[in-house]
Amino acid sequence: MTPQVRLAKVRGLRGARKYGVAAASLRELLRKGAKLLQLPARGCRACLYEDATEVTESYFRHMPDNTDLVLLAPGETWQGYVSDVSHFLNAFYKRKDDIVEAAQKLLSDKQAPMTQKLLLDLIHNLSENIVAEDREEDEKWFDGIEPRFRNKSSYMRYGCESRIRSYMKEVSSYISAVHPTAQAIYKSISDLMLDKLRSVKYNGCYFDRREEAAARICTSEGWFSCQGPFDMDACLCKHSINPYSNRESRILFSTWNLDHVIEKKRTVIPTLAEAVHKRDGREVNWEYFYQLLFTVDNLKFVHIACHKKTNHNLGCDKTKIYRKRKRTCKVLK
């Protein structure tokens, strides 16, 4: 039985030009493709353009016509179409200064609003200076920021600390709503929380890209990804931002929120106050409330569009409100 001839579109790793190749076997395809692309005759292999799956002889026999293939010489790798995107971006950013200059010239002419928006976004994205850390390296980023902040990470850390401090103030100020007989205990718990926050520097590490990966909620480059609304596992819109990149992104970053999954005002603080009032000799598990109020155990970092202001309708875990009492065993004589 004569093998069926298959038609494929082949290209190399370096160029975008495609060649049509007709072959009755994978071996024939590789031989013809290598000749067209001027690759070594031996050691070549073919991968699917889309997902980098390596083509075998058995796969070739059932391969649809006009399948896009990438022929690789020995030592070359392909990761699917993502590789193309990577090559494009590398080439794009090597000439970003020229592109920004050309875009600015276009903006000097009268343009339609949509064109202006596209050009401004392009200039904005290409004007990023993500790698720079110190004030001297990126003075524009520090415009409007007090001189005491000498690098980006220290300012970002301060911003996170300020948010956590504001939560602590809400806890402390709620004492007026606590039953008079429980206010002293509530105050002592509030003081314990404050001491712990001071010891961890108000969890400012969350926004500091210099911290260890386990301590921060951004990448080492400073990219933050939206974690999605409180009632979803992820952000469907894939929102992301890098406040370290330029001044505008730093300002926009302030609109992102640390959202309490179990709500701070509606649930956590009132439940803490009630627990103190109704403790009846039991010890309030203040560390559980600390986790809910000030840590990523109950905080999601979200884009403003993913910050739902509706009632979350989630309560505290009743089994964790009080510490478990230690059982004492009687010694039998």
Side-chain angles (χ1 to χ4, degrees):
M1 184 176 177
T2 305
Q4 185 179 350
V5 174
R6 300 288 174 185
L7 302 175
K9 296 177 181 178
V10 301
R11 49 168 283 183
L13 183 64
R14 306 300 172 193
R17 184 177 177 182
K18 299 177 184 179
Y19 298 88
V21 176
S25 67
L26 177 60
R27 185 175 181 179
E28 183 182 1
L29 174 88
L30 292 172
R31 179 173 54 80
K32 290 182 176 180
K35 186 175 181 180
L36 288 168
L37 297 167
Q38 298 182 341
L39 297 176
R42 287 191 174 187
C44 277
R45 53 199 176 90
C47 294
L48 296 182
Y49 169 78
E50 184 178 356
D51 62 5
T53 300
E54 187 167 345
V55 177
T56 61
E57 194 68 60
S58 60
Y59 182 89
F60 177 83
R61 289 196 293 269
H62 301 91
M63 187 176 72
D65 280 343
N66 296 313
T67 297
D68 285 324
L69 301 176
V70 178
L71 263 60
L72 301 173
E76 291 183 334
T77 59
W78 178 254
Q79 298 176 329
Y81 62 84
V82 174
S83 296
D84 252 2
V85 175
S86 178
H87 292 154
F88 166 75
L89 290 177
N90 286 335
F92 187 73
Y93 275 95
K94 283 178 182 177
R95 299 194 61 191
K96 68 177 185 178
D97 291 341
D98 295 336
I99 296 169
V100 168
E101 184 180 352
Q104 288 173 335
K105 287 180 180 177
L106 285 172
L107 271 177
S108 65
D109 300 327
K110 189 173 182 179
Q111 300 286 347
M114 181 180 288
T115 305
Q116 287 184 336
K117 176 67 165 61
L118 290 172
L119 289 170
L120 286 169
D121 286 346
L122 177 64
I123 293 171
H124 166 72
N125 290 327
L126 290 178
S127 299
E128 295 176 342
N129 194 359
I130 293 175
V131 177
E133 175 67 20
D134 296 332
R135 183 181 283 264
E136 295 76 15
E137 298 174 301
D138 192 359
E139 292 184 357
K140 290 182 180 178
W141 192 91
F142 289 88
D143 186 26
I145 294 178
E146 296 175 42
R148 64 190 176 100
F149 296 105
R150 303 305 305 167
N151 56 63
K152 294 179 180 179
S153 294
S154 63
Y155 180 78
M156 292 300 300
R157 191 180 189 97
Y158 170 77
C160 186
E161 291 175 2
S162 296
R163 297 187 191 215
I164 301 298
R165 286 176 188 271
S166 70
Y167 305 158
M168 187 64 238
K169 286 181 180 179
E170 289 184 59
V171 174
S172 300
S173 63
Y174 195 82
I175 193 169
S176 59
V178 177
H179 193 277
T181 60
Q183 286 185 357
I185 299 296
Y186 183 91
K187 175 67 165 57
S188 66
I189 288 176
S190 176
D191 290 342
L192 287 171
M193 289 182 174
L194 181 58
D195 288 341
K196 185 163 186 175
L197 280 176
R198 285 171 174 165
S199 71
V200 295
K201 298 180 180 178
Y202 294 90
N203 289 329
C205 55
Y206 290 160
F207 289 2
D208 188 343
R209 66 180 178 180
R210 300 169 303 180
E211 285 284 347
E212 296 294 326
R216 50 180 158 81
I217 61 172
C218 62
T219 69
S220 57
E221 294 82 21
W223 284 99
F224 291 78
S225 296
C226 176
Q227 297 172 325
F230 76 91
D231 55 355
M232 299 184 70
D233 293 331
C235 171
L236 298 180
C237 298
K238 305 297 182 185
H239 295 123
S240 65
I241 190 170
N242 191 330
Y244 288 85
S245 60
N246 52 44
R247 179 175 177 270
E248 184 175 338
S249 293
R250 168 176 64 78
I251 294 171
L252 287 174
F253 184 76
S254 64
T255 66
W256 285 54
N257 294 276
L258 280 170
D259 186 24
H260 289 81
V261 178
I262 301 175
E263 294 171 281
K264 174 178 83 270
K265 289 183 179 179
R266 286 195 180 107
T267 306
V268 181
I269 297 178
T271 302
L272 171 62
E274 182 182 23
V276 172
H277 176 49
K278 297 182 178 180
R279 66 189 186 283
D280 191 25
R282 293 171 292 181
E283 184 181 358
V284 175
N285 185 8
W286 67 268
E287 289 179 318
Y288 168 63
F289 290 98
Y290 173 92
Q291 297 293 329
L292 295 181
L293 289 164
F294 309 115
T295 76
V296 290
D297 285 0
N298 188 49
L299 291 171
K300 295 184 78 174
F301 195 59
V302 297
H303 183 276
I304 189 170
C306 288
H307 188 204
K308 295 183 178 180
K309 298 294 184 67
T310 57
N311 194 324
H312 293 190
N313 291 314
L314 296 172
C316 297
D317 186 342
K318 293 182 179 180
T319 66
K320 296 180 179 180
I321 292 176
Y322 298 101
R323 294 189 187 278
K324 293 181 179 179
R325 293 177 177 175
K326 295 180 180 180
R327 294 183 178 180
T328 56
C329 298
K330 291 183 179 181
V331 180
L332 299 175
K333 294 183 179 180

